[in-house]
């Protein structure tokens, strides 16, 4: 320690400062509540219309019309997935993980929503069923389906390990979007964004505040199901870390496919229902 960098002094009232009670930044009691009873009712008669099997260490896109349901299922072994969502007709409206985290918390479950980016800020999808909702928050502070991790990517891998790994979730999502839209990789990549980490078990360490992962509790047959609030383009990567028990960009971890299924409501059952409108802010920004 030099004279220019003196040691930090602990103030006499340090404990009093630490003891100040927290305040929730975005109280969500006034958020519009999804009608889960109605969603569950129409889901009972919904008919499967499509499915996509996402291979291990790869990604696939899928489309879900507004008012339909989609389900992500672990089918062969414990596997986590990275999910991107866009407005099907406007890729500039995409899932906003940071605001979703601010509104709902670090991990999502039944009744909570995936919100879209500015200036739209509206529900894109509502979680209607979660077979892992029993997990709660464990003794390490871990839980499932997080909106705190960004996605494994080749840039961080290169930064930390000087690697050129191409089957991380960022690259998987980029390839899948490019293939689905028939556009070059350099046009697809900017649209790839922070994800919902489906089935992933994560948290922050209590001592250093670092993002951690641990073996996912997901087992074959577990699923997360959503109601599409708007017309959606989805993109799901089966993470190269498998259940993320040890690493998340690896050719050696045991990896398994993930199944995406789409279900259409019975004819007439969503009559009178409309997608949520874009956010009502006038966008004048004080001018």
């Amino acid at each position: 320690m030099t004279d220019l960098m003196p040691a930090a002094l602990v103030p006499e009232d340090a404990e009093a400062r630490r003891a100040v009670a927290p305040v929730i930044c975005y109280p969500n009691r006034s958020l519009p509540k999804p009608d889960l009873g109605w969603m569950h009712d129409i889901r009972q008669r919904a008919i499967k219309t499509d499915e996509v099997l996402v291979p291990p260490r790869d990604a696939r896109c899928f489309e879900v019309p507004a008012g339909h349901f989609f389900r992500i299922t672990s089918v062969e072994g414990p596997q986590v997935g990275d999910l991107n969502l866009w407005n099907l007709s406007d890729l500039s409206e995409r899932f906003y993980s940071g605001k979703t985290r601010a509104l709902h918390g670090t991990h999502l479950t039944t009744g909570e929503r995936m919100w879209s980016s500015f200036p739209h800020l509206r529900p894109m999808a509502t979680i209607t069923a979660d077979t892992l909702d029993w997990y709660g928050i464990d003794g390490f502070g871990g839980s499932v389906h997080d909106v705190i991790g960004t996605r494994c990517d080749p840039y961080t891998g290169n930064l930390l390990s000087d690697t050129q790994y191409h089957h991380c979730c960022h690259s998987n999502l980029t390839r899948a979007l490019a293939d689905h839209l028939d556009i070059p990789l350099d046009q697809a990549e900017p649209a790839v964004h922070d994800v919902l980490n489906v089935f992933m078990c994560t948290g922050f360490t209590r001592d250093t505040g670092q993002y951690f992962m641990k073996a996912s509790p997901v087992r074959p047959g577990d699923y997360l199901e959503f109601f599409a609030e708007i017309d959606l383009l989805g993109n799901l990567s089966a993470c190269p870390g498998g259940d993320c028990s040890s690493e998340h960009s690896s050719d050696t971890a045991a990896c398994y496919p993930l199944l995406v299924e789409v279900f259409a409501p019975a004819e007439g059952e969503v009559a009178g229902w409309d997608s949520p409108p874009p956010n009502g802010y006038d966008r004048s920004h004080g001018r």
Side-chain angles (χ1 to χ4, degrees), residues 23-286:
V23 176
I24 299 299
C25 293
Y26 295 97
N28 60 15
R29 291 183 296 275
S30 62
L31 279 180
K33 302 295 183 186
D35 189 346
L36 287 178
W38 173 74
M39 293 175 184
H40 290 159
D41 180 58
I42 65 173
R43 175 64 180 86
Q44 293 179 34
R45 293 172 294 281
I47 299 170
K48 183 174 174 178
T49 57
D50 194 15
E51 71 172 44
V52 174
L53 189 67
V54 182
R57 296 186 179 86
D58 212 337
R60 292 291 185 273
C61 287
F62 56 96
E63 298 182 7
V64 190
H68 289 48
F69 297 83
F70 68 99
R71 175 184 288 191
I72 299 172
T73 304
S74 168
V75 288
E76 292 182 13
Q79 176 66 44
V80 308
D82 286 41
L83 177 65
N84 268 186
L85 292 180
W86 296 269
N87 180 330
L88 181 60
S89 60
D90 179 8
L91 292 191
S92 72
E93 183 175 10
R94 62 186 70 177
F95 171 51
Y96 189 176
S97 68
K99 189 57 67 178
T100 298
R101 179 174 65 248
L103 291 173
H104 292 300
T106 57
H107 299 77
L108 302 185
T109 190
T110 305
E112 296 175 329
R113 290 169 143 167
M114 298 176 69
W115 294 80
S116 69
S117 54
F118 297 156
H120 314 278
L121 194 61
R122 59 175 169 172
M124 303 185 78
T126 296
I127 299 176
T128 55
D130 175 10
T131 63
L132 293 178
D133 61 2
W134 56 266
Y135 191 87
I137 301 175
D138 63 31
F140 300 97
S143 192
V144 292
H145 315 310
D146 83 72
V147 283
I148 48 179
T150 56
R151 63 201 176 278
C152 56
D153 70 272
Y155 303 99
T156 305
N158 181 262
L159 179 68
L160 298 178
S161 305
D162 194 27
T163 59
Q164 295 288 320
Y165 186 72
H166 306 302
H167 290 274
C168 50
C169 289
H170 178 85
S171 297
N172 295 347
L173 294 167
T174 298
R175 291 194 310 274
L177 185 63
D179 290 347
H180 189 78
L181 298 180
D182 192 23
I183 59 176
L185 289 172
D186 62 356
Q187 291 182 24
E189 185 175 15
V192 173
H193 51 279
D194 286 353
V195 298
L196 171 63
N197 280 307
V198 179
F199 305 139
M200 193 170 180
C201 189
T202 60
F204 293 105
T205 59
R206 302 291 176 86
D207 52 351
T208 63
Q210 290 175 286
Y211 180 54
F212 72 75
M213 61 187 186
K214 54 180 290 190
S216 173
V218 69
R219 296 295 181 269
D222 281 321
Y223 61 85
L224 191 63
E225 188 164 293
F226 306 79
F227 176 77
E229 300 278 2
I230 63 174
D231 291 336
L232 293 173
L233 171 60
N235 194 353
L236 181 68
S237 171
C239 182
D243 69 355
C244 288
S245 56
S246 60
E247 52 189 342
H248 56 56
S249 293
S250 164
D251 281 329
T252 59
C255 292
Y256 304 93
L258 292 169
L259 178 66
V260 180
E261 299 169 284
V262 179
F263 302 87
E267 185 175 355
E269 291 214 310
V270 294
W273 172 84
D274 293 310
S275 292
N279 192 273
Y281 176 61
D282 66 12
R283 302 185 68 185
S284 63
H285 303 292

